Amino acid sequence: MGPFKSSVFILVLHLLEGALSNSLIQLNNNGYEGIVIAIDPDVPEDETLIQEIKDMVTQASPYLFEATGKRFYFKNVAILIPEKWKTKPEYMRPKLETYKNADVLVAERNPPGNDDPYTEQMGNCGEKGERIHFTPDFITGKKSQYGPQGRVFVHEWAHLRWGVFNEYNKDQKFYLSNGRNKAIRCSADITGKNVVKKCQGGSCVTKSCKVDKVTGLFEKGCEFLPDREQTEKASIMFSPSVNSVVEFCTEKNHNKEAPNLQNQRCNLRSTWEVISGSEDFKKTTPMTTPPPKPTFSLLQIGQRIVCLVLDKSGSMKSGDRLKRMNQAGKLFLLQTVEQGSWVGMVMFDSAAQVQSELVQINGGAEREALIRKLPTAASGGTSICSGLRSAFTVIRRKYPTDGAEIVLLTDGEDTSISTCFTEVKQSRAIIHTVALGPDAAKELEELSKMTGGLQTYASDQAQNNGLIDAFGALSSGNGIVSQRSIQLESTGVTLQASQWMNGTVIVDSTVGNDTLFLITWTIQPPQILLWDPSGKKQDGFVVDTDTKMAYLPIPGTAKVGIWNYSLQATAQTLTLTVTTRASSATLPPVTVTSKMNKDKGNFPSPMVVYAKVHQGNLPILRASVTALIESAKGKTVTLELLDNGAGADATKDDGIYSRYFTAYDTNGRYSVKVRALGGVNAARRRVTAQQNGAMYIPGWIENGEVKWNPPRPEISKNDLQGKQVCFSRTSSGGSFVASNVPKAPIPDLFPPCQITDLTAKLQGDNHINLTWTAPGDDYDYGRAYKYIIGISTSILDLRDKFNESVQVNTTNLIPKEANSEEVFVFKPESIPFENGTDLFIAVQAVDKVNLMSEISNIARVSLFIPPQTPPETPSPSLPCPEINVNSTIPGIHILKIMWKWLGELQLSVALG
C-alpha cells in the first residue's frame, strides 16, 4: 500500500543492522572530540590492534590538518574494547560510548576475504554517513593496496563527516571524451599507464590496452596504473595511496566529466566545494599553530546496568495504560534484557519509590522477582526528576552511573523536568524515553538526545502494540549480536464478537533460541491455538489475568519453519508478539532495526531516514519491507519501502529499503514500526566491493616498469551467499516530532522527486536510449504530469542553464506511475551528432500544479563510429601445381613441377 496523498513531510525509513547511530562527535576549536572506534566482540584478542588504531589516528591527524587548509584535526578518540578481552588497570568503563553509536567499527567480514575499507553512506551529497568499517588485517597493515592506514582514514572520514563520494569508479574505469579514452580519476593530471594483464596457463604478460571496435572503450580488464612518483596533489577521494596526493579536488582542478559517484551525487561539484559548504567549515577558521597529537581513552565494555523508571501517576489509569506498561515491562524482564545484566526498578508519581535495588539476572528466579515489583495501582502527580534521581541513587549504590541505562516511561507533563538536566548530563547515564499518549512531557526527546538514548512513542491504540514494541527495542547497545533479542512478529487487531485472529510466524534457521510467544487482551482471555511447523499443537501458556497477558516460552531451539496461530475472543483488542534470539554464536542472524535521522522536523523541510536489512554484513535483497507510521491522532499509514536506487533510495540492491512519507495529518509525535518479510524472492547478495571506500590499487608504474599488486582475493560462493532467505521481523523505528503542519486541507507543496538513476546509451542509427525510474506527483508517490528532457554538448551548461538547453520533443512521453521503469528513445535534433561528439542529457519532472523536480543526474553518450577498414586485397596465390615424377633412368627421379601463372614455368629437379 503506497503513501497517502494528503501530505506534508518526507520520511525514508532506515533499518540499520544492529545499530542506532547517535554519534557523539563534536567539533571544538578545530578539533574533533568524542570519536568512538569500537573493536567488535568477535575479534580475537590482540593488544597490538589497539596500538595500531592509535597509530592510524595519529598519522591521520596532520594529514587531515594540511588537506583541509589547517582547519581540522583529531583531538580525542575513545577505543571500545570487547568485554571478553583481558582487563587492565588503564581500561575505564564507557560513559555514553556504545557499539550502537560507534563511528568506526573494526570487525572481521563474513564471509572472510573482503578487506575493503568502506563507509556506510545512505544519504545525499553533503549528508553525514553512518559508520566507517575496517578489518583487523587492514588496521595492522596487512592490506597496503588501499594505501597507508592514516591516509585511508582521512578518505573515509570525508565520507562520514562531510558526505562526499568516491572520485574513482570500480565498475567503469574509463570513459570517452571527444573520441578518446580517459581514465576516471581526479584530478585529470594524475599520470599513469593504461595496461591489461593477460594470463594463460599460469603465466601472465602485460600489454597495452586495445580499443573495443564496437564501443570505442578500452577492452575489459584494462586498468589505469598510476605512476608511483608524481607531483599532482589531488585528490584524496580518488586515491590517498598516491604519495603526492595531499589535497581534495577543488573547483579549479575537479574532473567534472568523469562518471563517478561524486559527480553523480553532488551535481558535478568538487569534494572541496562540498566540504567548504559544511557546517564544520562555516564555524571554523584556519589555525595558526600546529595541532596537538590526538589523545586516547581505552574503554572496556562491562556488564549491562539498567534501571526501569516507571510512571504510576493518576493519568496512568486512563485507557489501561498501567496494564499496558506492565505488559511491556514484563516482556522486557522476561526476554529482552540479557542474562548477566543488572536491573533495578523505580516507580514515581509526585514522589519516587524504589521497587528494587540492582539485581543480576542469572535465571528465571530473578526475572520473576522483578516482574512482581511492577506497579499495580496508579495515583498522584508526575515528578519525572524524582524518578531519575532515585534511579541514579539505586545505580550508585553498586556502580558508577557512567554508561548505565535508564528506561523512562511517562504519560504526563512535568513543568519542572528541566531542573534535573544538569544532573542528567553529569551522570553520564544513557536515558531511553518512552512517551505514552499525546500528553507526555515534550522534553523527553531532549533527555534521550543529550544522553544518546532511544526515543519512542506509543499511542493509546492498543492494537498497534506500541508499548511492547518500544520495550522490545531496548536490547543492549554493547551486547554480542547473538545475545540480543529479536522480534519476529508484533501485530494486533480489534475483533468483533467470536471472530478469529489467524496468522503465521516464520522461524528461520538463523534464530530460534529463547523464543517467546506473548499474547495480550483488553477484556478477557481468548482461546489460544498454536501449532509448530510439524503441526504439533503447543500447550502450556502461562496466563496472567491481572496483567491481561499470556506467554509461552519455547524450550531449546524453536523448530525452523512456519508456526500457525489462531486466537478467538469476544469483541476486544488482541495483540501477538514473538521474540527470539540467534540460533548460533557464529552464524549471524537476519536483523532489521530502524531509526530516524532526526527527532524533529519543521514543515515543509523534509525529514529523512534510511533502511538496512542484513545478515551480518550481507545485504538481504528483494524482501518485502513496510513501515507503519502512526500519528498523535492515532491515524496509521502503511508504506512500502523500496531498494530500487530511485527516489528516496540512494543505491539499488544494497539492502537499504527507503521511501518518502507524505501523509502527515497533525503536529506532534509519530511512531514508526517496520515489518520485513523474506519469501521466495528474498536472497542474500554476494559480497562485492563497497561503493563508498578507498580504492584497491591494482598496481603501479615504477621507473617505467609495471608493478602489479596481488589481485583482489576472490570471494568464494559458499552457502551463505546468494541463498534464498525466508524470514519475518518487526522492529520499532523510534519516534519523531512534526511541527508547523498546516490544518487540512494540506496544500500540495511537494514536487516530484529528483531522478537519480538516468542512464543513456546509443541505439541503432544515432538514436539514444534513455532509462530511468519514474518519480511521482509528490516525491515518489503518484504520477508526474510531464517530463522535460534537455541536451547539450557542454556538461556545465546543461547543469547551470538547463532551461536554455536544447529540449527534446516529449509530446508522446506520458509519465508512468512512480517507481515504474521509463524508457524513451530519441534522435538528437538541432545538435550536430558526429563521430567523437559527447552529448549530455538530463531530465526534469513536472507535476500537475507545475512544481518541478531538481534536474536529474546527467547522463552522457559519446558517438563512436568504428573506422572503416578497407577490404583486404588478396595476395596473388600460387595454384596447386601439377607434380609428376619421371623415372626413366634407374636410381634417378626427375620431379617436374609446372604452374599455370602468367605463362608457364617449368622446374626440373633431379632427386637421387
Side-chain angles (χ1 to χ4, degrees):
M1 182 177 178
F4 293 100
K5 179 84 173 146
S6 60
S7 151
V8 300
F9 251 90
I10 304 168
L11 165 72
V12 184
L13 204 50
H14 172 78
L15 308 172
L16 181 58
E17 193 274 319
L20 290 171
S21 174
N22 291 299
S23 177
L24 304 176
I25 296 172
Q26 304 243 344
L27 179 60
N28 186 10
N29 294 328
N30 301 85
Y32 287 109
E33 302 176 334
I35 302 165
V36 179
I37 300 179
I39 301 172
D40 188 79
D42 290 330
V43 172
E45 184 165 357
D46 179 6
E47 277 190 51
T48 61
L49 191 59
I50 298 171
Q51 186 58 48
E52 296 282 3
I53 292 171
K54 291 181 178 181
D55 292 346
M56 176 184 72
V57 178
T58 302
Q59 293 159 13
S61 189
Y63 187 64
L64 175 71
F65 185 68
E66 295 300 329
T68 57
K70 297 179 170 43
R71 280 184 182 269
F72 307 118
Y73 69 97
F74 297 123
K75 191 171 184 180
N76 64 57
V77 174
I79 301 176
L80 280 185
I81 300 167
E83 181 179 2
K84 65 182 180 182
W85 286 26
K86 291 176 185 174
T87 59
K88 287 194 164 188
E90 61 266 33
Y91 295 171
M92 307 297 290
R93 182 175 172 83
K95 300 176 178 64
L96 304 182
E97 301 89 353
T98 68
Y99 281 102
K100 286 188 177 182
N101 61 29
D103 307 293
V104 181
L105 181 65
V106 180
E108 303 282 4
R109 301 284 161 77
N110 184 17
N114 174 14
D115 289 279
D116 288 354
Y118 72 97
T119 302
E120 291 179 271
Q121 265 181 290
M122 293 168 273
N124 295 320
C125 181
E127 295 181 5
K128 291 182 176 68
E130 290 294 315
R131 176 176 289 175
I132 296 169
H133 291 256
F134 293 132
T135 64
D137 278 357
F138 170 79
I139 293 287
T140 53
K142 297 175 184 175
K143 302 292 177 180
S144 59
Q145 295 86 354
Y146 302 98
Q149 298 95 309
R151 285 174 164 235
V152 171
F153 184 41
V154 173
H155 174 101
E156 302 303 333
W157 183 263
H159 285 307
L160 180 78
R161 188 67 186 178
W162 302 311
V164 298
F165 294 88
N166 292 332
E167 290 174 325
Y168 67 91
N169 188 330
K170 71 178 179 68
D171 298 320
Q172 178 187 341
K173 306 297 178 69
F174 300 91
Y175 66 102
L176 288 178
S177 178
N178 297 319
R180 294 180 55 202
N181 272 280
K182 291 188 176 181
I184 296 175
R185 63 197 190 277
C186 194
S187 79
D189 292 332
I190 295 279
T191 59
K193 287 184 179 179
N194 308 318
V195 292
V196 63
K197 184 192 282 189
K198 303 278 189 178
C199 296
Q200 189 172 4
S203 62
C204 298
V205 294
T206 299
K207 296 183 177 181
S208 296
C209 299
K210 292 180 180 178
V211 172
D212 185 300
K213 292 182 180 179
V214 176
T215 65
L217 288 168
F218 281 139
E219 63 186 305
K220 186 178 179 180
C222 182
E223 298 280 2
F224 172 76
L225 302 188
D227 289 323
R228 177 68 82 174
E229 300 298 328
Q230 51 189 304
T231 58
E232 178 55 34
K233 294 183 177 181
S235 168
I236 290 170
M237 299 315 291
F238 171 67
S239 177
S241 60
V242 177
N243 288 339
S244 62
V245 166
V246 292
E247 296 175 356
F248 295 96
C249 262
T250 66
E251 187 177 10
K252 290 182 179 178
N253 61 10
H254 179 55
N255 184 0
K256 299 176 180 65
E257 287 194 353
N260 55 35
L261 272 181
Q262 176 62 25
N263 281 327
Q264 180 183 341
R265 298 280 184 86
C266 296
N267 201 18
L268 312 181
R269 288 183 296 157
S270 68
T271 52
W272 186 246
E273 288 176 88
V274 176
I275 293 168
S276 58
S278 68
E279 289 301 314
D280 288 357
F281 194 92
K282 291 173 184 175
K283 62 184 183 184
T284 55
T285 56
M287 294 173 63
T288 55
T289 57
K293 287 186 176 182
T295 59
F296 299 91
S297 52
L298 305 182
L299 310 176
Q300 188 166 33
I301 302 302
Q303 292 170 323
R304 188 182 189 191
I305 300 166
V306 190
C307 188
L308 300 179
V309 179
L310 307 176
D311 187 347
K312 60 167 287 290
S313 61
S315 56
M316 289 293 290
K317 293 178 182 177
S318 171
D320 262 351
R321 287 178 182 174
L322 189 72
K323 279 189 169 46
R324 289 177 58 216
M325 178 182 74
N326 286 346
Q327 292 166 355
K330 197 164 184 177
L331 173 67
F332 178 80
L333 294 169
L334 276 173
Q335 209 270 352
T336 305
V337 69
E338 300 80 5
Q339 286 286 99
S341 301
W342 291 85
V343 181
M345 189 187 302
V346 169
M347 64 181 184
F348 69 92
D349 42 44
S350 52
Q353 179 180 331
V354 175
Q355 293 291 92
S356 174
E357 300 290 342
L358 288 180
V359 174
Q360 188 170 30
I361 304 290
N362 294 314
E366 292 84 8
R367 294 179 186 272
E368 290 293 339
L370 283 163
I371 286 169
R372 289 194 292 271
K373 302 282 187 174
L374 289 167
T376 56
S379 64
T382 303
S383 176
I384 293 170
C385 284
S386 295
L388 291 174
R389 289 181 180 121
S390 289
F392 295 151
T393 301
V394 166
I395 295 167
R396 286 177 180 137
R397 287 186 185 129
K398 202 160 194 72
Y399 292 103
T401 51
D402 292 356
E405 297 171 72
I406 290 174
V407 179
L408 169 64
L409 179 144
T410 184
D411 72 339
E413 294 183 292
D414 180 358
T415 55
S416 64
I417 185 173
S418 59
T419 61
C420 59
F421 278 8
T422 300
E423 295 165 72
V424 166
K425 290 177 183 176
Q426 290 172 345
S427 75
R428 295 174 176 174
I430 298 166
I431 299 181
H432 308 292
T433 59
V434 182
L436 176 55
D439 301 320
K442 303 298 182 286
E443 296 84 359
L444 289 180
E445 283 78 12
E446 192 173 348
L447 270 176
S448 53
K449 187 175 181 179
M450 75 169 69
T451 63
L454 175 65
Q455 66 179 54
T456 51
Y457 161 68
S459 75
D460 286 324
Q461 304 293 319
Q463 71 269 20
N464 290 334
N465 219 19
L467 262 188
I468 284 177
D469 292 341
F471 275 73
L474 294 171
S475 59
S476 171
N478 287 325
I480 296 171
V481 172
S482 62
Q483 297 173 356
R484 293 180 192 166
S485 175
I486 295 170
Q487 197 174 72
L488 301 184
E489 181 60 282
S490 169
T491 188
V493 67
T494 299
L495 299 176
Q496 303 305 314
S498 300
Q499 286 185 322
W500 288 88
M501 175 181 171
N502 301 314
T504 60
V505 179
I506 299 172
V507 175
D508 59 275
S509 61
T510 71
V511 296
N513 285 351
D514 199 14
T515 302
L516 183 78
F517 284 77
L518 185 146
I519 292 155
T520 72
W521 57 87
T522 53
I523 299 175
Q524 63 184 37
Q527 180 184 356
I528 303 172
L529 301 173
L530 175 67
W531 299 271
D532 73 10
S534 68
K536 182 181 179 183
K537 186 171 177 291
Q538 303 294 299
D539 297 314
F541 273 86
V542 179
V543 179
D544 179 351
T545 53
D546 290 336
T547 313
K548 296 182 178 178
M549 63 183 287
Y551 59 92
L552 176 67
I554 304 298
T557 303
K559 284 186 178 179
V560 172
I562 298 174
W563 292 64
N564 289 273
Y565 64 86
S566 291
L567 311 177
Q568 187 185 36
T570 57
Q572 62 176 320
T573 298
L574 303 180
T575 74
L576 177 133
T577 307
V578 184
T579 59
T580 188
R581 298 190 200 278
S583 59
S584 165
T586 55
L587 178 69
V590 174
T591 55
V592 178
T593 49
S594 45
K595 87 176 190 73
M596 307 295 301
N597 70 324
K598 291 189 268 188
D599 55 7
K600 294 179 182 177
N602 293 317
F603 177 83
S605 64
M607 186 170 171
V608 187
V609 195
Y610 306 97
K612 193 172 185 180
V613 184
H614 268 209
Q615 182 184 0
N617 56 281
L618 298 180
I620 303 294
L621 307 186
R622 298 183 297 280
S624 171
V625 183
T626 54
L628 290 86
I629 302 167
E630 183 186 7
S631 74
K633 286 183 176 179
K635 176 185 174 183
T636 300
V637 173
T638 303
L639 183 63
E640 181 185 11
L641 308 181
L642 302 172
D643 184 15
N644 61 353
D649 192 61
T651 305
K652 184 177 180 178
D653 288 346
D654 63 347
I656 310 297
Y657 295 79
S658 324
R659 195 73 184 268
Y660 289 109
F661 171 65
T662 56
Y664 281 64
D665 64 333
T666 186
N667 292 313
R669 292 184 174 106
Y670 287 71
S671 66
V672 181
K673 177 176 178 174
V674 177
R675 182 184 302 278
L677 296 173
V680 292
N681 294 320
R684 305 179 189 93
R685 181 181 182 176
R686 282 199 71 242
V687 174
T688 57
Q690 302 294 327
Q691 283 199 302
N692 306 313
M695 176 169 57
Y696 187 100
I697 297 290
W700 298 95
I701 305 299
E702 296 183 14
N703 299 319
E705 297 286 322
V706 174
K707 302 288 186 183
W708 291 99
N709 282 327
R712 292 172 60 86
E714 291 291 326
I715 307 298
S716 62
K717 296 181 180 180
N718 57 32
D719 291 341
L720 196 61
Q721 299 165 329
K723 188 177 179 181
Q724 179 181 316
V725 190
C726 293
F727 66 92
S728 65
R729 300 287 187 274
T730 59
S731 167
S732 168
S735 64
F736 55 92
V737 178
S739 59
N740 295 328
V741 178
K743 292 182 180 179
I746 294 169
D748 183 356
L749 299 179
F750 293 102
C753 62
Q754 182 189 25
I755 295 164
T756 57
D757 61 349
L758 177 68
T759 61
K761 62 181 179 181
L762 288 172
Q763 176 178 308
D765 183 21
N766 289 1
H767 282 72
I768 296 173
N769 180 297
L770 300 180
T771 60
W772 68 92
T773 301
D777 178 79
D778 294 338
Y779 288 93
D780 58 1
Y781 172 71
R783 188 193 297 260
Y785 177 68
K786 67 177 181 179
Y787 293 119
I788 300 170
I789 300 177
I791 58 176
S792 176
T793 55
S794 166
I795 193 169
L796 289 182
D797 283 351
L798 187 63
R799 180 190 72 174
D800 300 333
K801 304 173 185 177
F802 180 79
N803 293 335
E804 299 173 20
S805 64
V806 174
Q807 293 193 2
V808 176
N809 185 346
T810 57
T811 304
N812 297 322
L813 176 58
I814 308 301
K816 295 179 181 177
E817 193 70 20
N819 299 302
S820 304
E821 184 187 30
E822 297 277 21
V823 179
F824 183 66
V825 179
F826 71 97
K827 187 171 184 178
E829 308 288 350
S830 308
I831 289 183
F833 197 38
E834 304 161 344
N835 193 23
T837 299
D838 300 320
L839 194 64
F840 302 97
I841 307 120
V843 181
Q844 188 174 44
V846 185
D847 72 6
K848 62 182 179 297
V849 294
N850 213 36
L851 294 174
M852 297 182 177
S853 72
E854 296 179 53
I855 69 163
S856 69
N857 63 295
I858 295 177
R860 68 183 292 153
V861 289
S862 298
L863 183 58
F864 172 76
I865 301 174
Q868 298 264 338
T869 8
E872 295 184 3
T873 305
S875 305
S877 58
L878 298 177
C880 291
E882 296 175 12
I883 301 177
N884 294 302
V885 178
N886 291 334
S887 184
T888 56
I889 304 172
I892 301 292
H893 299 276
I894 304 295
L895 178 63
K896 181 191 280 187
I897 305 176
M898 184 177 291
W899 282 271
K900 291 278 185 182
W901 180 56
L902 296 179
E904 188 175 277
L905 173 67
Q906 180 173 305
L907 174 65
S908 296
V909 181
L911 303 175

